[in-house]
PDB file of all heavy atoms in Angstrom:
ATOM      1  N   PHE A 630      53.390  11.290  42.762  1.00 96.00           N
ATOM      2  CA  PHE A 630      52.292  10.515  42.164  1.00 96.00           C
ATOM      3  C   PHE A 630      51.495  11.496  41.336  1.00 96.00           C
ATOM      4  O   PHE A 630      50.826  12.381  41.880  1.00 96.00           O
ATOM      5  CB  PHE A 630      51.429   9.875  43.232  1.00 96.00           C
ATOM      6  CG  PHE A 630      50.517   8.791  42.704  1.00 96.00           C
ATOM      7  CD1 PHE A 630      50.785   7.453  42.950  1.00 96.00           C
ATOM      8  CD2 PHE A 630      49.402   9.110  41.942  1.00 96.00           C
ATOM      9  CE1 PHE A 630      49.959   6.454  42.463  1.00 96.00           C
ATOM     10  CE2 PHE A 630      48.576   8.128  41.440  1.00 96.00           C
ATOM     11  CZ  PHE A 630      48.859   6.800  41.697  1.00 96.00           C
ATOM     12  N   ALA A 631      51.566  11.353  40.029  1.00 96.00           N
ATOM     13  CA  ALA A 631      50.893  12.270  39.116  1.00 96.00           C
ATOM     14  C   ALA A 631      50.141  11.494  38.064  1.00 96.00           C
ATOM     15  O   ALA A 631      50.542  10.379  37.689  1.00 96.00           O
ATOM     16  CB  ALA A 631      51.894  13.211  38.460  1.00 96.00           C
ATOM     17  N   ILE A 632      49.043  12.075  37.593  1.00 96.00           N
ATOM     18  CA  ILE A 632      48.226  11.483  36.530  1.00 96.00           C
ATOM     19  C   ILE A 632      48.019  12.541  35.452  1.00 96.00           C
ATOM     20  O   ILE A 632      47.602  13.670  35.744  1.00 96.00           O
ATOM     21  CB  ILE A 632      46.874  10.994  37.068  1.00 96.00           C
ATOM     22  CG1 ILE A 632      47.062   9.923  38.140  1.00 96.00           C
ATOM     23  CG2 ILE A 632      46.005  10.440  35.938  1.00 96.00           C
ATOM     24  CD1 ILE A 632      45.777   9.410  38.752  1.00 96.00           C
ATOM     25  N   ASP A 633      48.302  12.168  34.230  1.00 95.00           N
ATOM     26  CA  ASP A 633      48.102  13.057  33.084  1.00 95.00           C
ATOM     27  C   ASP A 633      46.710  12.791  32.520  1.00 95.00           C
ATOM     28  O   ASP A 633      46.493  11.797  31.800  1.00 95.00           O
ATOM     29  CB  ASP A 633      49.183  12.798  32.031  1.00 95.00           C
ATOM     30  CG  ASP A 633      49.125  13.830  30.917  1.00 95.00           C
ATOM     31  OD1 ASP A 633      48.236  14.705  30.934  1.00 95.00           O
ATOM     32  OD2 ASP A 633      49.972  13.764  30.004  1.00 95.00           O
ATOM     33  N   PHE A 634      45.762  13.666  32.858  1.00 95.00           N
ATOM     34  CA  PHE A 634      44.381  13.450  32.434  1.00 95.00           C
ATOM     35  C   PHE A 634      44.172  13.819  30.975  1.00 95.00           C
ATOM     36  O   PHE A 634      43.082  13.581  30.448  1.00 95.00           O
ATOM     37  CB  PHE A 634      43.434  14.266  33.325  1.00 95.00           C
ATOM     38  CG  PHE A 634      43.238  13.654  34.676  1.00 95.00           C
ATOM     39  CD1 PHE A 634      43.955  14.107  35.769  1.00 95.00           C
ATOM     40  CD2 PHE A 634      42.364  12.613  34.874  1.00 95.00           C
ATOM     41  CE1 PHE A 634      43.792  13.546  37.010  1.00 95.00           C
ATOM     42  CE2 PHE A 634      42.181  12.038  36.113  1.00 95.00           C
ATOM     43  CZ  PHE A 634      42.919  12.512  37.181  1.00 95.00           C
ATOM     44  N   SER A 635      45.177  14.366  30.304  1.00 93.00           N
ATOM     45  CA  SER A 635      45.055  14.561  28.861  1.00 93.00           C
ATOM     46  C   SER A 635      45.250  13.266  28.109  1.00 93.00           C
ATOM     47  O   SER A 635      44.859  13.170  26.930  1.00 93.00           O
ATOM     48  CB  SER A 635      46.081  15.602  28.405  1.00 93.00           C
ATOM     49  OG  SER A 635      47.409  15.116  28.604  1.00 93.00           O
ATOM     50  N   LEU A 636      45.847  12.258  28.771  1.00 94.00           N
ATOM     51  CA  LEU A 636      46.018  10.941  28.179  1.00 94.00           C
ATOM     52  C   LEU A 636      45.071   9.909  28.758  1.00 94.00           C
ATOM     53  O   LEU A 636      44.853   8.872  28.140  1.00 94.00           O
ATOM     54  CB  LEU A 636      47.468  10.457  28.358  1.00 94.00           C
ATOM     55  CG  LEU A 636      48.561  11.302  27.723  1.00 94.00           C
ATOM     56  CD1 LEU A 636      49.934  10.734  28.082  1.00 94.00           C
ATOM     57  CD2 LEU A 636      48.405  11.387  26.213  1.00 94.00           C
ATOM     58  N   CYS A 637      44.554  10.159  29.957  1.00 94.00           N
ATOM     59  CA  CYS A 637      43.717   9.174  30.649  1.00 94.00           C
ATOM     60  C   CYS A 637      42.445   8.896  29.841  1.00 94.00           C
ATOM     61  O   CYS A 637      41.803   9.807  29.317  1.00 94.00           O
ATOM     62  CB  CYS A 637      43.358   9.679  32.037  1.00 94.00           C
ATOM     63  SG  CYS A 637      42.337   8.531  32.995  1.00 94.00           S
ATOM     64  N   MET A 638      42.109   7.620  29.712  1.00 94.00           N
ATOM     65  CA  MET A 638      40.893   7.197  29.022  1.00 94.00           C
ATOM     66  C   MET A 638      39.783   6.785  29.986  1.00 94.00           C
ATOM     67  O   MET A 638      38.766   6.264  29.553  1.00 94.00           O
ATOM     68  CB  MET A 638      41.201   6.053  28.057  1.00 94.00           C
ATOM     69  CG  MET A 638      41.823   4.840  28.730  1.00 94.00           C
ATOM     70  SD  MET A 638      42.330   3.563  27.570  1.00 94.00           S
ATOM     71  CE  MET A 638      40.766   2.959  27.017  1.00 94.00           C
ATOM     72  N   TYR A 639      39.994   6.990  31.315  1.00 94.00           N
ATOM     73  CA  TYR A 639      38.978   6.735  32.339  1.00 94.00           C
ATOM     74  C   TYR A 639      38.457   5.306  32.282  1.00 94.00           C
ATOM     75  O   TYR A 639      37.265   5.043  32.444  1.00 94.00           O
ATOM     76  CB  TYR A 639      37.817   7.731  32.174  1.00 94.00           C
ATOM     77  CG  TYR A 639      38.261   9.174  32.237  1.00 94.00           C
ATOM     78  CD1 TYR A 639      38.568   9.865  31.068  1.00 94.00           C
ATOM     79  CD2 TYR A 639      38.384   9.823  33.451  1.00 94.00           C
ATOM     80  CE1 TYR A 639      38.990  11.186  31.115  1.00 94.00           C
ATOM     81  CE2 TYR A 639      38.799  11.133  33.502  1.00 94.00           C
ATOM     82  CZ  TYR A 639      39.107  11.815  32.339  1.00 94.00           C
ATOM     83  OH  TYR A 639      39.535  13.109  32.411  1.00 94.00           O
ATOM     84  N   CYS A 640      39.377   4.379  32.096  1.00 93.00           N
ATOM     85  CA  CYS A 640      39.008   2.964  32.065  1.00 93.00           C
ATOM     86  C   CYS A 640      38.847   2.401  33.470  1.00 93.00           C
ATOM     87  O   CYS A 640      38.140   1.405  33.666  1.00 93.00           O
ATOM     88  CB  CYS A 640      40.025   2.154  31.284  1.00 93.00           C
ATOM     89  SG  CYS A 640      41.689   2.196  32.012  1.00 93.00           S
ATOM     90  N   GLY A 641      39.541   2.990  34.473  1.00 93.00           N
ATOM     91  CA  GLY A 641      39.422   2.523  35.844  1.00 93.00           C
ATOM     92  C   GLY A 641      40.252   1.290  36.162  1.00 93.00           C
ATOM     93  O   GLY A 641      40.078   0.697  37.232  1.00 93.00           O
ATOM     94  N   ILE A 642      41.169   0.902  35.288  1.00 95.00           N
ATOM     95  CA  ILE A 642      41.992  -0.271  35.559  1.00 95.00           C
ATOM     96  C   ILE A 642      42.894  -0.033  36.760  1.00 95.00           C
ATOM     97  O   ILE A 642      43.111  -0.920  37.588  1.00 95.00           O
ATOM     98  CB  ILE A 642      42.802  -0.672  34.317  1.00 95.00           C
ATOM     99  CG1 ILE A 642      41.861  -1.127  33.193  1.00 95.00           C
ATOM    100  CG2 ILE A 642      43.834  -1.744  34.641  1.00 95.00           C
ATOM    101  CD1 ILE A 642      42.564  -1.501  31.926  1.00 95.00           C
ATOM    102  N   CYS A 643      43.459   1.171  36.880  1.00 95.00           N
ATOM    103  CA  CYS A 643      44.347   1.477  37.995  1.00 95.00           C
ATOM    104  C   CYS A 643      43.619   1.343  39.331  1.00 95.00           C
ATOM    105  O   CYS A 643      44.201   0.901  40.328  1.00 95.00           O
ATOM    106  CB  CYS A 643      44.927   2.869  37.840  1.00 95.00           C
ATOM    107  SG  CYS A 643      43.689   4.193  37.709  1.00 95.00           S
ATOM    108  N   ILE A 644      42.347   1.704  39.383  1.00 94.00           N
ATOM    109  CA  ILE A 644      41.568   1.596  40.616  1.00 94.00           C
ATOM    110  C   ILE A 644      41.250   0.139  40.925  1.00 94.00           C
ATOM    111  O   ILE A 644      41.250  -0.286  42.087  1.00 94.00           O
ATOM    112  CB  ILE A 644      40.277   2.436  40.496  1.00 94.00           C
ATOM    113  CG1 ILE A 644      40.625   3.888  40.280  1.00 94.00           C
ATOM    114  CG2 ILE A 644      39.407   2.285  41.740  1.00 94.00           C
ATOM    115  CD1 ILE A 644      39.452   4.796  40.069  1.00 94.00           C
ATOM    116  N   GLU A 645      41.015  -0.654  39.898  1.00 94.00           N
ATOM    117  CA  GLU A 645      40.677  -2.055  40.112  1.00 94.00           C
ATOM    118  C   GLU A 645      41.866  -2.873  40.565  1.00 94.00           C
ATOM    119  O   GLU A 645      41.732  -3.772  41.411  1.00 94.00           O
ATOM    120  CB  GLU A 645      40.101  -2.651  38.840  1.00 94.00           C
ATOM    121  CG  GLU A 645      38.788  -2.017  38.378  1.00 94.00           C
ATOM    122  CD  GLU A 645      37.659  -2.280  39.355  1.00 94.00           C
ATOM    123  OE1 GLU A 645      37.716  -3.314  40.062  1.00 94.00           O
ATOM    124  OE2 GLU A 645      36.723  -1.467  39.413  1.00 94.00           O
ATOM    125  N   VAL A 646      43.071  -2.589  40.055  1.00 95.00           N
ATOM    126  CA  VAL A 646      44.237  -3.409  40.384  1.00 95.00           C
ATOM    127  C   VAL A 646      44.919  -2.951  41.651  1.00 95.00           C
ATOM    128  O   VAL A 646      45.808  -3.678  42.153  1.00 95.00           O
ATOM    129  CB  VAL A 646      45.245  -3.402  39.220  1.00 95.00           C
ATOM    130  CG1 VAL A 646      44.607  -3.956  37.958  1.00 95.00           C
ATOM    131  CG2 VAL A 646      45.825  -2.032  38.997  1.00 95.00           C
ATOM    132  N   CYS A 647      44.584  -1.820  42.208  1.00 94.00           N
ATOM    133  CA  CYS A 647      45.258  -1.338  43.431  1.00 94.00           C
ATOM    134  C   CYS A 647      44.920  -2.266  44.589  1.00 94.00           C
ATOM    135  O   CYS A 647      43.750  -2.398  44.970  1.00 94.00           O
ATOM    136  CB  CYS A 647      44.829   0.081  43.767  1.00 94.00           C
ATOM    137  SG  CYS A 647      45.626   0.757  45.231  1.00 94.00           S
ATOM    138  N   PRO A 648      45.916  -2.968  45.176  1.00 92.00           N
ATOM    139  CA  PRO A 648      45.600  -3.938  46.224  1.00 92.00           C
ATOM    140  C   PRO A 648      45.401  -3.332  47.598  1.00 92.00           C
ATOM    141  O   PRO A 648      45.011  -4.030  48.533  1.00 92.00           O
ATOM    142  CB  PRO A 648      46.837  -4.856  46.214  1.00 92.00           C
ATOM    143  CG  PRO A 648      47.943  -3.967  45.776  1.00 92.00           C
ATOM    144  CD  PRO A 648      47.356  -2.955  44.846  1.00 92.00           C
ATOM    145  N   PHE A 649      45.652  -2.025  47.764  1.00 91.00           N
ATOM    146  CA  PHE A 649      45.586  -1.414  49.080  1.00 91.00           C
ATOM    147  C   PHE A 649      44.588  -0.270  49.149  1.00 91.00           C
ATOM    148  O   PHE A 649      44.636   0.534  50.065  1.00 91.00           O
ATOM    149  CB  PHE A 649      46.980  -0.899  49.490  1.00 91.00           C
ATOM    150  CG  PHE A 649      48.024  -1.963  49.545  1.00 91.00           C
ATOM    151  CD1 PHE A 649      48.954  -2.095  48.531  1.00 91.00           C
ATOM    152  CD2 PHE A 649      48.040  -2.865  50.592  1.00 91.00           C
ATOM    153  CE1 PHE A 649      49.909  -3.086  48.589  1.00 91.00           C
ATOM    154  CE2 PHE A 649      48.991  -3.869  50.653  1.00 91.00           C
ATOM    155  CZ  PHE A 649      49.942  -3.978  49.633  1.00 91.00           C
ATOM    156  N   ASP A 650      43.687  -0.158  48.169  1.00 90.00           N
ATOM    157  CA  ASP A 650      42.620   0.855  48.169  1.00 90.00           C
ATOM    158  C   ASP A 650      43.203   2.252  48.344  1.00 90.00           C
ATOM    159  O   ASP A 650      42.851   2.990  49.276  1.00 90.00           O
ATOM    160  CB  ASP A 650      41.587   0.555  49.269  1.00 90.00           C
ATOM    161  CG  ASP A 650      40.800  -0.697  48.998  1.00 90.00           C
ATOM    162  OD1 ASP A 650      40.717  -1.098  47.820  1.00 90.00           O
ATOM    163  OD2 ASP A 650      40.291  -1.315  49.957  1.00 90.00           O
TER     164      ASP A 650
END
Side-chain angles (χ1 to χ4, degrees):
F630 195 106
I632 299 179
D633 188 358
F634 284 98
S635 65
L636 299 176
C637 181
M638 57 186 290
Y639 303 93
C640 62
I642 294 179
C643 57
I644 299 176
E645 296 294 333
V646 301
C647 181
F649 300 104
D650 293 337

